[in-house]
Every structure is written in C-alpha cells, then in structure tokens.
Coordinates of all heavy atoms in Angstrom, one line a residue:
L583 N 5.5 -2.3 -13.2 CA 5.6 -0.9 -13.6 C 6.8 -0.7 -14.5 O 7.8 -1.4 -14.4 CB 5.8 0.0 -12.4 CG 4.7 0.1 -11.4 CD1 5.1 0.8 -10.1 CD2 3.5 0.8 -12.0
D584 N 6.7 0.2 -15.4 CA 7.7 0.6 -16.4 C 8.9 1.2 -15.6 O 8.7 1.8 -14.5 CB 7.2 1.6 -17.4 CG 8.2 2.1 -18.3 OD1 8.4 1.4 -19.3 OD2 8.8 3.2 -18.1
E585 N 10.1 1.0 -16.1 CA 11.3 1.4 -15.3 C 11.4 2.9 -15.2 O 12.1 3.4 -14.4 CB 12.6 0.9 -16.0 CG 12.9 1.3 -17.4 CD 14.1 0.7 -17.9 OE1 14.5 -0.4 -17.5 OE2 14.7 1.3 -18.8
S586 N 10.6 3.7 -16.0 CA 10.7 5.1 -15.9 C 9.6 5.7 -15.0 O 9.5 6.9 -14.8 CB 10.5 5.7 -17.3 OG 9.2 5.5 -17.8
T587 N 8.8 4.8 -14.3 CA 7.8 5.3 -13.4 C 8.3 6.0 -12.2 O 9.3 5.6 -11.6 CB 6.9 4.1 -12.9 OG1 6.4 3.4 -14.1 CG2 5.8 4.5 -12.1
T588 N 7.7 7.2 -12.0 CA 8.1 8.0 -10.8 C 7.0 7.9 -9.7 O 5.9 7.5 -10.0 CB 8.3 9.5 -11.2 OG1 7.0 10.0 -11.7 CG2 9.4 9.6 -12.3
D589 N 7.3 8.4 -8.5 CA 6.3 8.5 -7.5 C 5.1 9.3 -8.0 O 3.9 8.9 -7.8 CB 6.8 9.2 -6.2 CG 7.9 8.3 -5.6 OD1 8.1 7.2 -6.0 OD2 8.5 8.8 -4.6
A590 N 5.3 10.4 -8.7 CA 4.3 11.3 -9.2 C 3.4 10.6 -10.2 O 2.2 10.7 -10.2 CB 4.9 12.6 -9.8
A591 N 4.1 9.8 -11.1 CA 3.3 9.1 -12.2 C 2.5 8.0 -11.5 O 1.3 7.8 -12.0 CB 4.3 8.5 -13.2
L592 N 3.0 7.3 -10.5 CA 2.2 6.3 -9.9 C 1.0 6.9 -9.1 O -0.1 6.4 -9.2 CB 3.1 5.6 -8.9 CG 2.5 4.3 -8.2 CD1 2.0 3.3 -9.2 CD2 3.5 3.8 -7.2
R593 N 1.2 8.0 -8.5 CA 0.1 8.8 -7.8 C -0.9 9.2 -8.8 O -2.1 9.0 -8.6 CB 0.7 10.0 -7.1 CG -0.4 10.8 -6.4 CD 0.2 12.0 -5.6 NE 1.0 11.6 -4.5 CZ 0.5 11.4 -3.2 NH1 -0.8 11.6 -3.0 NH2 1.2 11.0 -2.3
E594 N -0.5 9.7 -10.0 CA -1.5 10.1 -11.0 C -2.3 8.9 -11.5 O -3.5 9.1 -11.8 CB -0.7 10.7 -12.2 CG -1.5 11.4 -13.2 CD -0.7 12.1 -14.2 OE1 0.2 12.9 -13.8 OE2 -0.9 11.9 -15.4
L595 N -1.7 7.7 -11.6 CA -2.5 6.6 -12.0 C -3.6 6.2 -11.0 O -4.7 5.7 -11.5 CB -1.5 5.3 -12.1 CG -0.8 5.1 -13.4 CD1 0.1 3.9 -13.2 CD2 -1.8 4.8 -14.5
F596 N -3.3 6.4 -9.7 CA -4.3 5.9 -8.7 C -5.1 7.0 -8.1 O -6.1 6.6 -7.4 CB -3.5 5.1 -7.7 CG -3.1 3.7 -8.1 CD1 -1.9 3.5 -8.8 CD2 -3.9 2.6 -8.0 CE1 -1.5 2.3 -9.3 CE2 -3.6 1.4 -8.4 CZ -2.3 1.2 -9.1
E597 N -4.8 8.2 -8.3 CA -5.6 9.3 -7.7 C -7.1 9.2 -8.0 O -7.9 9.6 -7.1 CB -5.1 10.7 -8.2 CG -4.0 11.2 -7.3 CD -3.5 12.5 -7.7 OE1 -3.5 12.9 -8.9 OE2 -3.0 13.3 -6.9
P598 N -7.6 8.8 -9.2 CA -9.0 8.7 -9.4 C -9.8 7.9 -8.4 O -11.0 8.0 -8.4 CB -9.1 8.1 -10.9 CG -7.8 8.4 -11.5 CD -6.8 8.4 -10.4
F599 N -9.1 7.0 -7.7 CA -9.8 6.1 -6.8 C -10.0 6.6 -5.4 O -10.7 5.9 -4.6 CB -9.2 4.7 -6.9 CG -9.0 4.2 -8.3 CD1 -7.8 4.3 -8.9 CD2 -10.1 3.8 -9.0 CE1 -7.7 3.9 -10.2 CE2 -10.0 3.4 -10.3 CZ -8.8 3.5 -10.9
G600 N -9.4 7.7 -5.0 CA -9.6 8.2 -3.7 C -8.4 9.0 -3.2 O -7.5 9.3 -4.0
T601 N -8.4 9.3 -1.9 CA -7.3 10.1 -1.3 C -6.2 9.3 -1.0 O -6.3 8.3 -0.2 CB -7.9 10.8 0.0 OG1 -9.0 11.6 -0.4 CG2 -6.8 11.7 0.6
I602 N -5.0 9.6 -1.5 CA -3.8 8.8 -1.3 C -3.0 9.4 -0.2 O -2.7 10.6 -0.1 CB -2.9 8.8 -2.6 CG1 -3.7 8.1 -3.7 CG2 -1.6 8.2 -2.3 CD1 -3.0 8.1 -5.1
T603 N -2.7 8.6 0.8 CA -1.9 9.0 2.0 C -0.4 8.9 1.8 O 0.4 9.6 2.3 CB -2.3 8.3 3.3 OG1 -2.2 6.9 3.1 CG2 -3.8 8.6 3.6
S604 N 0.0 7.9 1.0 CA 1.4 7.7 0.6 C 1.5 7.0 -0.7 O 0.6 6.2 -1.0 CB 2.2 7.0 1.7 OG 1.8 5.7 1.9
C605 N 2.6 7.2 -1.4 CA 2.8 6.6 -2.7 C 4.2 6.6 -3.0 O 4.9 7.6 -3.0 CB 2.0 7.4 -3.7 SG 2.2 6.8 -5.4
V606 N 4.8 5.4 -3.4 CA 6.2 5.3 -3.8 C 6.4 4.2 -4.9 O 5.8 3.2 -4.8 CB 7.1 5.0 -2.5 CG1 6.7 3.7 -1.9 CG2 8.5 5.1 -2.9
A607 N 7.1 4.6 -5.9 CA 7.6 3.7 -6.9 C 9.0 3.3 -6.4 O 9.9 4.1 -6.4 CB 7.6 4.3 -8.3
V608 N 9.2 2.0 -6.1 CA 10.5 1.6 -5.6 C 11.5 1.6 -6.6 O 11.4 1.1 -7.8 CB 10.3 0.2 -5.0 CG1 11.7 -0.3 -4.4 CG2 9.3 0.1 -3.9
K609 N 12.7 2.2 -6.3 CA 13.8 2.5 -7.2 C 15.1 1.8 -6.8 O 15.3 1.5 -5.6 CB 14.0 3.9 -7.4 CG 12.9 4.7 -8.0 CD 13.1 6.2 -8.1 CE 12.0 6.9 -8.7 NZ 10.8 6.8 -8.0
D610 N 15.9 1.4 -7.8 CA 17.2 0.9 -7.5 C 18.2 2.0 -7.2 O 17.9 3.2 -7.2 CB 17.7 -0.1 -8.6 CG 17.9 0.6 -9.9 OD1 18.0 1.9 -10.0 OD2 18.0 -0.1 -10.9
D611 N 19.5 1.6 -7.0 CA 20.5 2.7 -6.7 C 20.8 3.6 -7.9 O 21.5 4.6 -7.8 CB 21.8 2.0 -6.2 CG 22.4 1.0 -7.2 OD1 21.8 0.7 -8.2 OD2 23.4 0.4 -6.8
K612 N 20.3 3.3 -9.1 CA 20.5 4.1 -10.3 C 19.2 5.0 -10.5 O 19.1 5.6 -11.6 CB 20.8 3.3 -11.5 CG 22.1 2.6 -11.4 CD 22.4 1.8 -12.7 CE 23.7 1.0 -12.7 NZ 23.7 -0.1 -11.7
D613 N 18.3 5.0 -9.5 CA 17.1 5.8 -9.6 C 16.1 5.3 -10.7 O 15.4 6.0 -11.3 CB 17.4 7.3 -9.8 CG 16.3 8.1 -9.2 OD1 15.6 7.7 -8.2 OD2 16.0 9.2 -9.7
T614 N 16.2 4.0 -11.0 CA 15.3 3.4 -12.0 C 14.3 2.5 -11.2 O 14.6 1.8 -10.3 CB 16.2 2.4 -12.9 OG1 17.2 3.2 -13.6 CG2 15.3 1.7 -13.9
C615 N 13.0 2.7 -11.6 CA 12.0 1.9 -11.0 C 12.2 0.4 -11.1 O 12.5 -0.1 -12.2 CB 10.6 2.3 -11.6 SG 9.2 1.4 -10.8
K616 N 12.1 -0.3 -10.0 CA 12.3 -1.7 -9.9 C 11.1 -2.5 -10.5 O 11.1 -3.7 -10.5 CB 12.6 -2.2 -8.5 CG 13.9 -1.8 -8.0 CD 14.1 -2.4 -6.6 CE 15.5 -2.5 -6.2 NZ 15.7 -3.2 -4.9
G617 N 10.0 -1.8 -10.9 CA 8.9 -2.5 -11.5 C 7.7 -2.7 -10.5 O 6.7 -3.3 -10.8
F618 N 7.9 -2.1 -9.3 CA 6.8 -2.2 -8.3 C 6.7 -1.0 -7.4 O 7.7 -0.2 -7.4 CB 6.8 -3.5 -7.5 CG 8.0 -3.6 -6.5 CD1 7.8 -3.2 -5.2 CD2 9.2 -4.0 -7.0 CE1 8.9 -3.3 -4.3 CE2 10.3 -4.1 -6.1 CZ 10.2 -3.7 -4.8
G619 N 5.6 -0.8 -6.8 CA 5.4 0.3 -5.9 C 4.3 0.1 -4.9 O 3.7 -1.0 -4.9
F620 N 4.1 1.1 -4.1 CA 3.1 0.9 -3.0 C 2.2 2.2 -3.0 O 2.8 3.3 -3.0 CB 3.7 0.7 -1.7 CG 4.5 -0.5 -1.6 CD1 5.9 -0.5 -1.9 CD2 4.0 -1.8 -1.3 CE1 6.7 -1.6 -1.8 CE2 4.7 -2.9 -1.3 CZ 6.1 -2.8 -1.6
V621 N 0.9 2.0 -2.9 CA 0.0 3.2 -2.8 C -0.9 2.9 -1.6 O -1.5 1.8 -1.5 CB -0.9 3.3 -4.1 CG1 -1.8 4.5 -4.0 CG2 0.0 3.4 -5.3
C622 N -1.0 3.9 -0.7 CA -1.9 3.7 0.4 C -3.1 4.8 0.3 O -2.8 5.9 0.0 CB -1.2 4.0 1.7 SG 0.1 2.7 2.1
F623 N -4.3 4.3 0.6 CA -5.5 5.1 0.5 C -6.0 5.4 1.9 O -5.7 4.7 2.9 CB -6.6 4.5 -0.3 CG -6.3 4.4 -1.8 CD1 -5.6 3.4 -2.4 CD2 -6.6 5.5 -2.6 CE1 -5.3 3.3 -3.7 CE2 -6.4 5.5 -4.0 CZ -5.7 4.4 -4.5
T624 N -6.8 6.4 2.0 CA -7.4 6.8 3.3 C -8.4 5.7 3.8 O -8.4 5.5 5.0 CB -8.2 8.1 3.1 OG1 -7.3 9.1 2.6 CG2 -8.7 8.6 4.5
T625 N -9.1 5.1 2.9 CA -10.1 4.1 3.4 C -9.9 2.8 2.6 O -9.5 2.7 1.5 CB -11.6 4.6 3.1 OG1 -11.8 4.6 1.7 CG2 -11.8 6.0 3.7
P626 N -10.4 1.7 3.3 CA -10.3 0.4 2.6 C -11.2 0.3 1.3 O -10.8 -0.3 0.4 CB -10.9 -0.6 3.7 CG -10.6 0.1 5.0 CD -10.8 1.5 4.7
D627 N -12.3 1.1 1.3 CA -13.2 1.1 0.1 C -12.4 1.7 -1.1 O -12.6 1.2 -2.2 CB -14.4 1.9 0.4 CG -15.4 1.2 1.3 OD1 -15.3 -0.1 1.5 OD2 -16.4 1.8 1.8
E628 N -11.6 2.7 -0.8 CA -10.9 3.3 -1.9 C -9.8 2.4 -2.5 O -9.7 2.2 -3.7 CB -10.2 4.6 -1.5 CG -11.1 5.7 -1.1 CD -10.5 6.9 -0.4 OE1 -9.4 6.8 0.1 OE2 -11.1 8.0 -0.5
A629 N -9.2 1.7 -1.5 CA -8.2 0.7 -1.9 C -8.8 -0.5 -2.7 O -8.3 -0.9 -3.8 CB -7.5 0.1 -0.7
T630 N -9.9 -0.9 -2.3 CA -10.6 -2.0 -3.0 C -11.1 -1.6 -4.4 O -10.9 -2.3 -5.4 CB -11.9 -2.5 -2.2 OG1 -11.4 -2.9 -0.9 CG2 -12.6 -3.6 -2.9
K631 N -11.5 -0.3 -4.5 CA -11.9 0.2 -5.8 C -10.7 0.2 -6.8 O -10.8 -0.1 -7.9 CB -12.5 1.6 -5.7 CG -13.1 2.1 -7.0 CD -13.8 3.4 -6.8 CE -14.3 3.9 -8.1 NZ -14.9 5.3 -8.0
A632 N -9.6 0.7 -6.2 CA -8.3 0.7 -7.0 C -7.9 -0.7 -7.5 O -7.6 -0.9 -8.7 CB -7.2 1.4 -6.2
V633 N -8.0 -1.7 -6.6 CA -7.7 -3.0 -7.0 C -8.6 -3.5 -8.1 O -8.2 -4.1 -9.1 CB -7.8 -4.0 -5.8 CG1 -7.6 -5.4 -6.2 CG2 -6.7 -3.6 -4.8
T634 N -9.9 -3.3 -7.9 CA -10.9 -3.8 -8.9 C -10.7 -3.1 -10.3 O -10.8 -3.8 -11.3 CB -12.3 -3.4 -8.4 OG1 -12.5 -4.0 -7.1 CG2 -13.4 -3.9 -9.3
E635 N -10.4 -1.9 -10.3 CA -10.3 -1.1 -11.5 C -8.9 -1.3 -12.2 O -8.8 -1.3 -13.4 CB -10.5 0.4 -11.3 CG -11.9 0.7 -10.9 CD -13.0 0.5 -11.9 OE1 -12.7 0.7 -13.1 OE2 -14.1 0.1 -11.6
M636 N -7.8 -1.5 -11.4 CA -6.5 -1.4 -12.0 C -5.8 -2.7 -12.1 O -4.8 -2.9 -12.9 CB -5.6 -0.5 -11.1 CG -6.1 1.0 -11.1 SD -6.0 1.7 -12.7 CE -4.2 2.0 -12.9
H637 N -6.2 -3.8 -11.5 CA -5.6 -5.1 -11.5 C -5.6 -5.6 -13.0 O -6.6 -5.7 -13.6 CB -6.2 -6.1 -10.6 CG -5.5 -7.4 -10.6 ND1 -4.2 -7.5 -10.2 CD2 -5.9 -8.7 -10.9 CE1 -3.8 -8.8 -10.3 NE2 -4.8 -9.5 -10.7
L638 N -4.4 -5.9 -13.5 CA -4.2 -6.4 -14.8 C -4.4 -5.4 -15.9 O -4.3 -5.7 -17.1 CB -5.0 -7.7 -15.1 CG -4.7 -8.9 -14.2 CD1 -5.6 -10.1 -14.5 CD2 -3.2 -9.3 -14.2
K639 N -4.6 -4.1 -15.6 CA -4.6 -3.1 -16.6 C -3.2 -2.9 -17.2 O -2.2 -2.9 -16.4 CB -5.1 -1.8 -15.9 CG -5.2 -0.6 -16.9 CD -5.7 0.6 -16.3 CE -5.8 1.7 -17.3 NZ -6.5 2.9 -16.9
V640 N -3.2 -2.8 -18.5 CA -1.9 -2.6 -19.1 C -1.5 -1.1 -19.1 O -2.2 -0.3 -19.6 CB -1.9 -3.2 -20.6 CG1 -0.6 -2.9 -21.3 CG2 -2.2 -4.7 -20.5
V641 N -0.3 -0.8 -18.6 CA 0.2 0.5 -18.5 C 1.6 0.5 -19.1 O 2.5 -0.2 -18.6 CB 0.2 1.1 -17.1 CG1 0.8 2.5 -17.0 CG2 -1.2 1.1 -16.5
K642 N 1.9 1.3 -20.1 CA 3.2 1.3 -20.8 C 3.6 -0.1 -21.2 O 4.8 -0.4 -21.1 CB 4.2 2.0 -20.0 CG 4.0 3.5 -19.8 CD 5.1 4.2 -19.1 CE 4.9 5.6 -18.9 NZ 6.0 6.3 -18.3
G643 N 2.7 -0.8 -21.7 CA 3.0 -2.2 -22.2 C 3.1 -3.3 -21.2 O 3.4 -4.4 -21.6
K644 N 2.9 -3.0 -19.9 CA 3.0 -4.0 -18.9 C 1.7 -4.1 -18.1 O 1.2 -3.1 -17.7 CB 4.2 -3.6 -17.9 CG 5.5 -3.7 -18.6 CD 6.6 -3.5 -17.6 CE 8.0 -3.6 -18.2 NZ 9.0 -3.7 -17.2
P645 N 1.2 -5.3 -17.9 CA 0.1 -5.5 -17.0 C 0.4 -5.2 -15.6 O 1.5 -5.6 -15.1 CB -0.4 -7.0 -17.2 CG 0.9 -7.6 -17.7 CD 1.7 -6.6 -18.4
L646 N -0.5 -4.5 -14.9 CA -0.2 -4.3 -13.4 C -0.8 -5.4 -12.6 O -1.9 -5.9 -12.9 CB -1.0 -3.0 -13.0 CG -0.6 -1.7 -13.7 CD1 -1.4 -0.5 -13.1 CD2 0.9 -1.4 -13.5
Y647 N -0.1 -5.7 -11.5 CA -0.6 -6.6 -10.5 C -0.9 -5.7 -9.4 O -0.1 -5.0 -8.8 CB 0.4 -7.7 -10.0 CG -0.1 -8.3 -8.8 CD1 -1.0 -9.4 -8.9 CD2 0.2 -7.9 -7.5 CE1 -1.6 -9.9 -7.7 CE2 -0.3 -8.4 -6.4 CZ -1.2 -9.5 -6.5 OH -1.8 -10.0 -5.4
V648 N -2.2 -5.6 -9.0 CA -2.6 -4.7 -8.0 C -3.4 -5.5 -6.9 O -4.3 -6.2 -7.3 CB -3.6 -3.6 -8.5 CG1 -4.0 -2.6 -7.4 CG2 -2.9 -2.8 -9.6
G649 N -2.9 -5.5 -5.7 CA -3.5 -6.3 -4.6 C -3.5 -5.5 -3.3 O -2.8 -4.6 -3.2
L650 N -4.4 -5.9 -2.4 CA -4.4 -5.3 -1.1 C -3.2 -5.8 -0.3 O -2.7 -6.9 -0.5 CB -5.7 -5.7 -0.3 CG -7.0 -5.2 -1.0 CD1 -8.2 -5.8 -0.2 CD2 -7.1 -3.7 -1.0
A651 N -2.7 -4.9 0.5 CA -1.5 -5.3 1.4 C -1.9 -6.4 2.3 O -3.0 -6.4 2.8 CB -1.1 -4.0 2.1
E652 N -1.0 -7.3 2.5 CA -1.2 -8.3 3.6 C 0.1 -8.6 4.2 O 1.2 -8.5 3.6 CB -1.8 -9.6 3.0 CG -1.1 -10.2 1.9 CD -1.8 -11.4 1.2 OE1 -2.7 -12.0 1.8 OE2 -1.5 -11.7 0.1
K653 N 0.1 -9.0 5.5 CA 1.3 -9.3 6.2 C 2.0 -10.5 5.6 O 1.3 -11.4 5.0 CB 1.0 -9.5 7.7 CG 0.5 -8.3 8.4 CD 0.4 -8.6 9.9 CE 0.0 -7.4 10.8 NZ -0.3 -6.2 10.3
K654 N 3.3 -10.6 5.7 CA 4.1 -11.7 5.1 C 3.6 -13.0 5.5 O 3.4 -13.9 4.7 CB 5.5 -11.5 5.4 CG 6.4 -12.5 4.8 CD 7.9 -12.3 5.1 CE 8.8 -13.3 4.4 NZ 10.2 -13.0 4.7
D655 N 3.3 -13.2 6.8 CA 2.9 -14.5 7.3 C 1.5 -14.9 6.7 O 1.2 -16.1 6.4 CB 2.9 -14.7 8.8 CG 2.1 -13.6 9.5 OD1 1.8 -12.6 8.9 OD2 1.7 -13.9 10.7
Q656 N 0.6 -13.9 6.5 CA -0.7 -14.1 6.0 C -0.6 -14.6 4.5 O -1.3 -15.5 4.0 CB -1.6 -12.9 6.0 CG -2.0 -12.5 7.4 CD -2.8 -11.2 7.5 OE1 -2.4 -10.3 6.7 NE2 -3.8 -11.1 8.3
R657 N 0.3 -13.9 3.7 CA 0.5 -14.2 2.3 C 1.1 -15.6 2.2 O 0.6 -16.4 1.4 CB 1.4 -13.2 1.7 CG 1.6 -13.4 0.2 CD 2.5 -12.3 -0.5 NE 3.9 -12.4 0.0 CZ 4.4 -11.5 0.9 NH1 3.7 -10.5 1.3 NH2 5.7 -11.7 1.3
Q658 N 2.1 -15.9 3.0 CA 2.7 -17.3 3.0 C 1.7 -18.4 3.2 O 1.6 -19.4 2.6 CB 3.8 -17.4 3.9 CG 5.0 -16.5 3.5 CD 6.2 -16.5 4.5 OE1 5.9 -16.7 5.7 NE2 7.4 -16.4 4.0
E659 N 0.8 -18.2 4.2 CA -0.2 -19.2 4.5 C -1.2 -19.3 3.4 O -1.6 -20.4 3.0 CB -1.0 -18.8 5.8 CG -2.0 -19.8 6.3 CD -1.5 -21.2 6.5 OE1 -0.3 -21.4 6.8 OE2 -2.3 -22.1 6.3
R660 N -1.6 -18.2 2.8 CA -2.6 -18.2 1.7 C -2.0 -19.0 0.5 O -2.6 -19.9 -0.1 CB -2.9 -16.8 1.2 CG -3.9 -16.8 0.0 CD -4.3 -15.3 -0.3 NE -3.2 -14.4 -0.5 CZ -2.5 -14.3 -1.6 NH1 -2.8 -15.1 -2.6 NH2 -1.5 -13.4 -1.7
L661 N -0.7 -18.7 0.2 CA 0.0 -19.5 -0.9 C 0.2 -20.9 -0.5 O 0.0 -21.8 -1.4 CB 1.3 -18.8 -1.2 CG 1.2 -17.4 -1.8 CD1 2.6 -16.7 -1.9 CD2 0.5 -17.4 -3.1
R662 N 0.5 -21.2 0.7 CA 0.7 -22.6 1.1 C -0.6 -23.4 0.9 O -0.6 -24.5 0.4 CB 1.1 -22.7 2.6 CG 1.5 -24.0 3.1 CD 2.1 -24.1 4.5 NE 2.1 -22.9 5.4 CZ 3.1 -22.0 5.5 NH1 4.2 -22.1 4.8 NH2 2.9 -21.0 6.3
Q663 N -1.7 -22.8 1.3 CA -3.0 -23.5 1.1 C -3.4 -23.6 -0.3 O -3.9 -24.7 -0.7 CB -4.1 -22.7 1.8 CG -4.1 -22.8 3.4 CD -5.1 -21.9 4.1 OE1 -5.9 -21.2 3.4 NE2 -5.1 -22.0 5.4
R664 N -3.1 -22.6 -1.1 CA -3.4 -22.7 -2.6 C -2.6 -23.7 -3.3 O -3.1 -24.4 -4.2 CB -3.2 -21.3 -3.2 CG -3.5 -21.3 -4.7 CD -3.3 -20.0 -5.4 NE -4.2 -19.0 -4.9 CZ -4.2 -17.7 -5.1 NH1 -3.1 -17.2 -5.8 NH2 -5.0 -16.9 -4.6
Y665 N -1.3 -23.9 -2.9 CA -0.4 -24.7 -3.7 C 0.0 -26.0 -2.9 O 0.9 -26.7 -3.3 CB 0.8 -24.0 -4.1 CG 0.5 -22.8 -5.0 CD1 0.5 -21.5 -4.6 CD2 0.0 -23.1 -6.3 CE1 0.2 -20.5 -5.5 CE2 -0.3 -22.1 -7.2 CZ -0.2 -20.8 -6.8 OH -0.5 -19.7 -7.6
A666 N -0.8 -26.3 -1.9 CA -0.5 -27.6 -1.1 C -0.8 -28.8 -2.0 O -1.7 -28.8 -2.7 CB -1.3 -27.6 0.2
P667 N 0.1 -29.8 -1.9 CA -0.1 -31.1 -2.6 C -1.5 -31.6 -2.3 O -1.9 -31.7 -1.1 CB 1.0 -32.0 -2.1 CG 2.0 -31.1 -1.6 CD 1.3 -29.9 -1.0
G668 N -2.3 -32.0 -3.3 CA -3.6 -32.6 -3.1 C -4.6 -31.5 -2.8 O -5.8 -31.9 -2.5
G669 N -4.3 -30.2 -2.8 CA -5.2 -29.2 -2.5 C -5.9 -28.7 -3.7 O -6.9 -28.3 -4.0

C-alpha cells in the first residue's frame, strides 16, 4: 500500500466485494502507512472474491499482495514445504 493510505481509503478499495467487519491500514509512529493492512469480511466467499479480484492489482503505482489470513504456524509450514531442498 502507498504510504498515504488510510483506513477509509483501504475500506473503499475493498467495499465492492462484500460487507467489511473491520479494516485497518497499519501505520508507524508518524501516522504513515507501513505498506500493509488487514480487511475482514462477513463471509469467506466475500474474502475469496476480494483476493481473486485484487491480488497483484496496481494501486497508486504499487502492486497489491492480497491473501487469505492464515495462522503463523500454517504459513510457516506451507513455506517450508514450498522451499524445502529437493522439493
């Protein structure tokens, strides 16, 4: 995300895909967006649609990485399997 992204701007980007229950653009201590955020939808279908439509879309000159939330241990295992030697 662009450093000027606000919670409202992030919500506006993702509203077309469904009902948003929470939305935050993570900021540093100077109130500048750190380049990432989190959007939660009411249903998994809405979240999946947002991922499908928005992943790698360029917004303000930057491609977005959009993925479904996963627990840290699940993500680590997936990455371990993907990048294991000989895998």
Side-chain angles (χ1 to χ4, degrees):
L583 295 170
D584 178 82
E585 65 182 25
S586 67
T587 302
T588 62
D589 294 352
L592 186 59
R593 178 177 291 272
E594 191 175 305
L595 271 177
F596 285 88
E597 272 180 333
F599 306 105
T601 302
I602 295 173
T603 57
S604 67
C605 178
V606 63
V608 179
K609 295 177 179 62
D610 64 16
D611 56 0
K612 295 179 181 73
D613 208 32
T614 301
C615 181
K616 287 184 162 186
F618 66 97
F620 301 94
V621 180
C622 294
F623 288 92
T624 305
T625 68
D627 286 345
E628 292 171 339
T630 300
K631 185 175 180 185
V633 170
T634 302
E635 297 288 328
M636 295 296 286
H637 184 60
L638 300 180
K639 179 176 180 172
V640 177
V641 176
K642 292 188 178 181
K644 294 188 175 190
L646 299 180
Y647 169 82
V648 182
L650 295 175
E652 58 185 338
K653 291 185 178 6
K654 184 177 181 180
D655 57 339
Q656 291 173 323
R657 183 179 66 255
Q658 288 175 332
E659 181 58 28
R660 179 176 54 81
L661 292 172
R662 190 174 6 266
Q663 289 177 359
R664 180 180 293 168
Y665 296 108

